[in-house]
């Protein structure tokens, strides 16, 4: 937005210099000459030149600094506010020798940050509800009893500094600051004469379990069908909340969504209490039904299904209101075992990993072999670094400055995409095998806080499927682009025909970033016959499979032209990222530091950004879709050689994971189809992970696409 007129806007006007700057926005400028009266509820209600009608550049981006205090009467149940007199940082200090180096720390003395050090809490009156709150903050779903005798001996030998006493929690709080307690004043070292420091022991969730018994519990939970999952999050413990009802996965409407309900979700999934209860599809929009609305948990429930909720009608809620969560997870220290070097920003660089740290030795830093390194491996690296999703996984990094690390220490890395650390992926171990060594061929990543998410509109495939017998003399271009089955090469050209199963594909981008082809336009391939550029060699796989998964016919389609055919009506105002700005010395607010957020506006009707004509940019904008009509070349499967029978039609978008997405599990679409040699019936089309495991097994007897998100 440009055209700053208010004092706050004038203060921040011109933040972006002429040269690229990390605080400058990217993309289009939606608003110009904004003129508000002050009583509008949304910036969209103010006068302006019209969406996208601007004569500004990004060095004129406007911003604001908001006052610290809220409007009187304002309440937000999804924000934890801590005053100076409250507790902001808490830890569990492991004192048992065997557990000091082991992560996660599940048991120890509860300590709170005080001045430049740490202080203890007197356990007088301490109960399991208090422990439950602490465990939730530490990322654990539940607490357990602890042997206090050892800690009593420990406390008698230590000089302790008590900070809190008389802590009383209900057990539903997401932070100890929300409990009632008192601060010790004066000589706190002599306090707590009738007690000892509070000690807590927590039960880790299956994802963070250690030891044989816990691993068994983890396997049992993985084998049982979950009724709740998280989708679209970059990190473990965050994502859009999806629930299973009537054998179909769906979302939750964000009406009355708060931290109590979010914490029930987090604990049910094996994480701690909730850090944030997110509304407005902040983790991307889901698909399918919206199962629940106005969920109102007390916070003590074992499952979200035990909470009161309302069934909804289609008019009550849209997927723009999908609820999401960010959960507390245990500290595992994975981010200390990986780093990036040589990049232009902290979001990119050559991947360096530490080896030997697990044995307690001083870690030795080295490079990762770029051979076989791809998007899924880069996804894991970016997650481990805490930098979101991967934009690119790079097999060569010669163009980045080399650090003093030159030794290859890891090769053969192959990830499924859901791992929390590269060390959890398959790799060669100590037996390195890398054909091209040296920094030039070291693996690298470019990470991003957001990612696209493509999915096919399944009902359209079902509605538009039909058979056509197409003469061979009309298929020369298709044959040139390898869009026919291999037997077509031996046909009696130009006589005869091929039998084609045709259907339309409508590919939506429901993510939080535009879908852009991996290759730049300099490497796009011009096809003279069809007169278009291919920006991706293989964008979609089309397959006909038997019920047991044997492929009997296949097709593929390059990205003839990735562009925005249509876009959804209705937009959302979202906050993306938070920066801190120090006010200039000459300002009347000098010395103050305020948190601000850059606001990106989606207009009332999302505008198209990508058009292929005249060698234009290719991609799919967030909230838009690309339509491949049934009557264009290669939008088919050659079924000339398929015998009558019952089959499965499978369509997979971005099958080689060339472009990063927040969720690959919804890239496959499947339909039942019956072919009698003359006609074909296509029915029960659905996204690959839209049904329960039981329903999927009834539908098919072979594994579907791999998942790159933790569910």
């Amino acid at each position: 937005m440009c055209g700053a007129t208010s004092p706050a806007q004038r203060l921040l006007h011109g933040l972006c210099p002429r040269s690229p700057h990390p605080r400058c926005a990217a993309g289009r400028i939606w608003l110009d000459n904004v003129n508000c009266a002050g009583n509008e509820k949304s910036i969209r209600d103010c006068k302006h030149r019209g969406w996208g009608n601007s004569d500004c550049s990004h060095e004129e981006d406007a911003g604001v600094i908001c006052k610290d205090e809220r409007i009187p009467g304002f309440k937000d149940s999804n924000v934890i506010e801590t005053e100076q007199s409250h507790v902001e940082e808490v830890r569990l200090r492991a004192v048992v020798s065997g557990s000091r180096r082991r992560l996660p720390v599940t048991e120890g003395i509860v300590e709170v940050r005080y001045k430049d050090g740490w202080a203890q809490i007197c356990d007088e009156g301490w109960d399991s509800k208090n422990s439950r709150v602490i465990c939730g903050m530490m990322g654990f779903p539940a607490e357990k009893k602890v042997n206090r005798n050892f800690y009593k001996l420990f406390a008698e030998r230590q000089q302790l500094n008590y900070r809190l006493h008389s802590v009383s929690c209900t057990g539903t709080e997401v932070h100890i600051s929300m409990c009632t307690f008192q601060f010790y004043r004066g000589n706190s070292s002599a306090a707590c004469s009738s007690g000892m420091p509070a000690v807590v022991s927590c039960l880790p969730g299956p994802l963070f379990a250690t030891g044989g018994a816990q691993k068994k519990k983890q396997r049992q939970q993985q084998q049982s069908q979950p009724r709740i999952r998280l989708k679209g999050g970059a990190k473990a413990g965050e994502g859009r909340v999806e629930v299973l009802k009537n054998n179909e996965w769906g979302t939750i409407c964000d009406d009355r969504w708060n931290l109590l309900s979010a914490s029930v979700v987090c604990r049910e999934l094996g994480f701690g209490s909730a850090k944030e209860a997110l509304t407005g599809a902040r983790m991307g929009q889901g698909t399918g039904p919206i199962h629940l609305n106005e969920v109102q948990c007390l916070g003590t429930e074992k499952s979200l299904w035990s909470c009161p909720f309302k069934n909804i009608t289609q008019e009550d809620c849209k997927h723009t209101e999908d609820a999401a969560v960010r959960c507390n997870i245990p500290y595992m220290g994975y981010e200390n075992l990986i780093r990036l070097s040589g990049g232009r920003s902290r979001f990119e660089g050559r991947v360096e990993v530490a080896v030997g740290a697990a044995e307690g030795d001083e870690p030795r830093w080295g490079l990762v072999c770029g051979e076989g390194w791809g998007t899924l491996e880069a996804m894991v690296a970016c997650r481990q670094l805490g930098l979101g999703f991967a934009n690119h996984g790079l097999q060569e990094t010669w163009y980045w400055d080399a650090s003093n690390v030159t030794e290859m220490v890891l090769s053969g890395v192959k990830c499924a995409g859901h791992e929390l650390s590269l060390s959890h992926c398959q790799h060669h171990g100590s037996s390195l095998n890398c054909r091209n060594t040296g920094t030039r061929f070291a693996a690298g990543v470019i990470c991003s806080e957001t990612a696209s998410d493509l999915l096919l509109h399944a009902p359209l495939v079902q509605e538009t499927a039909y058979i056509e017998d197409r003469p061979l003399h009309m298929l020369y271009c298709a044959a040139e682009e390898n869009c026919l089955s291999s037997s077509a090469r031996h046909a009696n050209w130009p006589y005869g025909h091929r039998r084609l199963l045709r259907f339309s594909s409508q590919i939506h981008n429901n993510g939080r970033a535009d879908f852009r082809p991996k290759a730049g336009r300099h490497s796009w391939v011009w096809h003279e016959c069809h007169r278009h550029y291919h920006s991706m060699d293989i964008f979609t796989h089309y397959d006909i499979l038997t019920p047991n998964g044997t492929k009997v016919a296949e097709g593929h389609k390059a990205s003839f032209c990735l562009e925005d055919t249509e876009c959804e009506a209705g937009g959302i105002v979202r906050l993306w990222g938070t920066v801190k700005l120090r006010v200039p010395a000459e300002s009347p607010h000098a010395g103050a530091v305020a948190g601000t957020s850059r606001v990106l506006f989606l207009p009332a009707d999302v505008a198209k950004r990508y058009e292929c004509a005249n060698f234009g940019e290719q991609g799919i904008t967030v909230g838009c879709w690309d339509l491949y009509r049934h009557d264009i070349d290669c939008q088919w499967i050659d079924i000339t050689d398929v015998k009558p029978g019952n089959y499965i039609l499978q369509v997979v978008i971005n099958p080689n994971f060339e472009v990063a997405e927040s969720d690959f599990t919804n890239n496959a679409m499947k339909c039942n189809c019956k072919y009698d040699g003359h006609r074909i019936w296509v029915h029960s089309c659905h996204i690959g992970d839209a049904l329960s495991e039981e329903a999927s097994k009834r539908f098919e007897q072979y594994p579907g696409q791999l998942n790159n998100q933790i569910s």
Side-chain angles (χ1 to χ4, degrees):
M1 184 174 76
C2 79
T5 55
S6 69
Q9 287 175 331
R10 284 197 297 272
L11 178 65
L12 295 182
H13 195 59
L15 270 178
C16 296
R18 296 283 173 181
S19 58
H21 191 276
R23 290 206 176 132
C24 296
R28 291 184 61 174
I29 297 172
W30 289 117
L31 295 179
D32 189 7
N33 289 1
V34 179
N35 189 359
C36 301
N39 56 358
E40 294 87 354
K41 290 187 177 181
S42 169
I43 196 78
R44 292 180 288 187
D45 300 332
C46 301
K47 295 179 180 178
H48 51 77
R49 293 181 58 173
W51 288 102
N53 186 7
S54 168
D55 59 0
C56 283
S57 55
H58 279 302
E59 54 264 22
E60 301 172 83
D61 284 347
V64 295
I65 294 179
C66 302
K67 285 186 174 181
D68 291 338
E69 63 265 24
R70 300 284 194 182
I71 297 170
F74 178 87
K75 290 183 179 179
D76 188 345
S77 60
N78 296 337
V79 176
I80 307 167
E81 293 186 359
T82 55
E83 301 173 10
Q84 264 192 334
S85 60
H86 277 194
V87 178
E88 294 191 10
E89 194 174 349
V90 181
R91 75 175 184 182
L92 280 183
R93 179 159 70 98
V95 296
V96 180
S97 58
S99 61
R100 287 178 188 170
R101 302 183 102 167
R102 192 186 308 142
L103 292 176
V105 175
T106 58
E107 181 178 302
I109 294 174
V110 184
E111 296 188 327
V112 298
R113 174 71 74 180
Y114 181 51
K115 296 182 179 178
D116 294 329
W118 294 89
Q120 291 75 44
I121 302 174
C122 181
D123 78 340
E124 192 173 346
W126 189 271
D127 61 16
S128 61
K129 294 178 180 177
N130 297 350
S131 297
R132 176 177 169 85
V133 173
I134 296 297
C135 288
M137 292 175 63
M138 298 296 104
F140 304 113
E143 75 291 346
K144 65 177 181 178
K145 288 185 178 180
V146 63
N147 183 354
R148 298 172 76 251
N149 294 331
F150 168 81
Y151 292 95
K152 195 168 186 178
L153 291 171
F154 175 82
E156 289 171 356
R157 300 171 185 170
Q158 301 292 318
Q159 183 69 29
L160 300 176
N161 180 27
Y162 289 98
R163 172 70 173 150
L164 303 183
H165 68 98
S166 302
V167 179
S168 179
C169 303
T170 66
T172 62
E173 297 88 350
V174 298
H175 197 282
I176 194 174
S177 290
M178 302 172 74
C179 304
T180 58
F181 55 82
Q182 295 180 25
F183 288 97
Y184 278 112
R185 310 294 180 190
N187 184 11
S188 58
S189 60
C192 198
S193 56
S194 59
M196 57 177 272
V199 179
V200 166
S201 183
C202 305
L203 283 169
L207 193 63
F208 306 97
T210 56
Q214 292 290 349
K215 291 295 183 184
K216 183 179 178 182
K217 181 182 176 183
Q218 182 178 352
R219 284 195 301 271
Q220 288 173 347
Q221 179 159 330
Q222 288 173 346
Q223 289 169 0
S224 62
Q225 166 71 13
R227 294 189 66 199
I228 189 167
R229 67 186 184 187
L230 300 182
K231 283 298 201 78
K235 303 174 184 176
E238 70 175 32
R240 177 179 62 254
V241 182
E242 295 190 352
V243 293
L244 185 65
K245 184 179 180 183
N246 298 329
N247 284 326
E248 189 173 7
W249 286 98
T251 60
I252 297 176
C253 190
D254 63 9
D255 293 349
R256 299 199 179 188
W257 186 248
N258 61 24
L259 284 168
L260 289 174
S261 301
S263 290
V264 172
V265 169
C266 291
R267 290 182 188 270
E268 184 177 357
L269 290 169
F271 305 110
S273 51
K275 287 190 290 187
E276 291 181 86
L278 302 171
T279 58
R282 286 275 302 280
M283 290 289 178
Q285 295 183 32
T287 58
I290 301 173
H291 284 316
L292 309 179
N293 188 21
E294 295 193 23
V295 179
Q296 292 180 275
C297 300
L298 299 175
T300 55
E301 296 88 350
K302 296 280 188 183
S303 169
L304 190 74
W305 291 102
S306 304
C307 302
F309 61 85
K310 287 185 178 180
N311 292 312
I312 65 171
T313 62
Q314 193 170 2
E315 291 73 29
D316 289 331
C317 210
K318 308 296 181 189
H319 280 299
T320 53
E321 301 169 79
D322 284 342
V325 296
R326 284 197 178 101
C327 306
N328 287 311
I329 66 170
Y331 175 73
M332 302 298 294
Y334 293 138
E335 72 277 12
N336 299 322
L337 304 177
I338 187 172
R339 66 190 184 190
L340 300 182
S341 67
R344 298 160 294 183
S345 72
R346 72 185 187 94
F347 283 90
E348 67 178 30
R350 186 178 293 113
V351 177
E352 297 179 358
V353 295
V355 294
E359 290 78 28
D361 303 328
E362 190 67 27
R364 177 169 57 97
W365 289 94
L367 304 174
V368 179
C369 179
E371 191 177 323
W373 182 267
T375 301
L376 296 180
E377 291 70 35
M379 280 283 197
V380 175
C382 290
R383 180 183 297 118
Q384 186 177 352
L385 288 158
L387 296 178
F389 303 100
N391 254 354
H392 296 291
L394 307 166
Q395 296 188 357
E396 292 187 31
T397 50
W398 53 269
Y399 37 80
W400 281 332
D401 294 334
S403 66
N404 57 358
V405 176
T406 57
E407 181 189 3
M408 290 279 184
V409 297
L410 200 62
S411 66
V413 179
K414 187 174 181 57
C415 303
H418 56 72
E419 297 88 349
L420 299 180
S421 166
L422 286 178
S423 61
H424 298 161
C425 301
Q426 297 178 31
H427 55 83
H428 291 154
S430 57
S431 305
L432 291 179
N433 182 11
C434 189
R435 284 181 296 182
N436 299 312
T437 57
T439 56
R440 174 188 174 93
F441 300 103
V445 295
I446 300 176
C447 303
S448 173
E449 292 177 325
T450 57
S452 60
D453 183 20
L454 296 188
L455 67 155
L456 202 64
H457 185 54
L460 185 65
V461 175
Q462 187 167 312
E463 294 163 9
T464 58
Y466 64 97
I467 287 177
E468 179 192 14
D469 288 337
R470 195 163 182 81
L472 280 172
H473 67 82
M474 300 178 68
L475 292 172
Y476 279 104
C477 280
E480 185 179 305
E481 295 196 15
N482 198 28
C483 294
L484 301 174
S485 63
S486 57
S487 64
R489 289 194 292 267
H490 309 296
N492 185 24
W493 292 79
Y495 309 105
H497 67 272
R498 304 298 292 180
R499 175 157 290 185
L500 308 174
L501 171 58
R502 310 195 71 153
F503 49 86
S504 295
S505 293
Q506 189 171 294
I507 299 148
H508 291 244
N509 182 1
N510 277 16
R512 292 184 288 152
D514 293 353
F515 183 91
R516 300 296 309 279
K518 182 177 182 179
R521 62 166 63 200
H522 65 279
S523 59
W524 294 353
V525 178
W526 171 256
H527 283 256
E528 182 64 35
C529 196
H530 280 135
R531 302 193 63 78
H532 57 240
Y533 283 96
H534 284 186
S535 56
M536 294 175 65
D537 286 338
I538 295 183
F539 177 59
T540 316
H541 275 167
Y542 303 138
D543 298 316
I544 296 289
L545 310 162
T546 63
N548 67 4
T550 303
K551 190 181 298 184
V552 295
E554 62 181 352
H556 79 276
K557 183 160 58 57
S559 56
F560 282 11
C561 167
L562 280 176
E563 64 179 357
D564 297 324
T565 306
E566 292 292 340
C567 298
E568 296 174 7
I572 316 164
V573 178
R574 294 197 180 106
L575 298 179
W576 296 73
T578 301
V579 297
K580 285 192 174 180
L581 303 176
R582 190 167 292 280
V583 181
E586 62 273 12
S587 163
H589 307 287
V593 176
T596 71
S597 292
R598 175 162 58 86
V599 182
L600 298 186
F601 297 94
L602 290 178
D605 291 315
V606 182
K608 303 175 185 178
R609 297 184 60 188
Y610 302 103
E611 188 176 5
C612 296
N614 302 318
F615 198 30
E617 289 290 343
Q618 292 197 27
I620 307 176
T621 304
V622 175
C624 300
W625 61 84
D626 189 2
L627 176 64
Y628 287 90
R629 287 174 52 91
H630 58 84
D631 54 0
I632 67 171
D633 265 10
C634 297
Q635 184 59 38
W636 62 54
I637 303 176
D638 184 348
I639 62 170
T640 307
D641 306 317
V642 175
K643 297 177 181 178
N646 293 317
Y647 298 99
I648 292 172
L649 164 63
Q650 177 175 271
V651 180
V652 185
I653 309 164
N654 190 19
N656 297 332
F657 312 113
E658 286 186 51
V659 178
E661 299 183 47
S662 59
D663 184 8
F664 287 122
T665 62
N666 56 15
N667 284 28
M669 185 227 64
K670 298 166 186 174
C671 307
N672 276 319
C673 57
K674 181 179 180 181
Y675 177 50
D676 68 357
H678 307 284
R679 296 161 296 178
I680 197 160
W681 292 266
V682 175
H683 60 96
S684 304
C685 294
H686 64 278
I687 300 300
D689 66 342
L691 304 180
S692 68
E693 288 182 8
E694 181 184 352
S696 294
K697 285 175 182 176
R698 289 199 302 264
F699 184 87
E700 58 186 28
Q701 289 80 43
Y702 64 97
Q705 293 296 292
L706 291 175
N707 181 2
N708 79 321
Q709 293 297 302
I710 295 169
S711 300

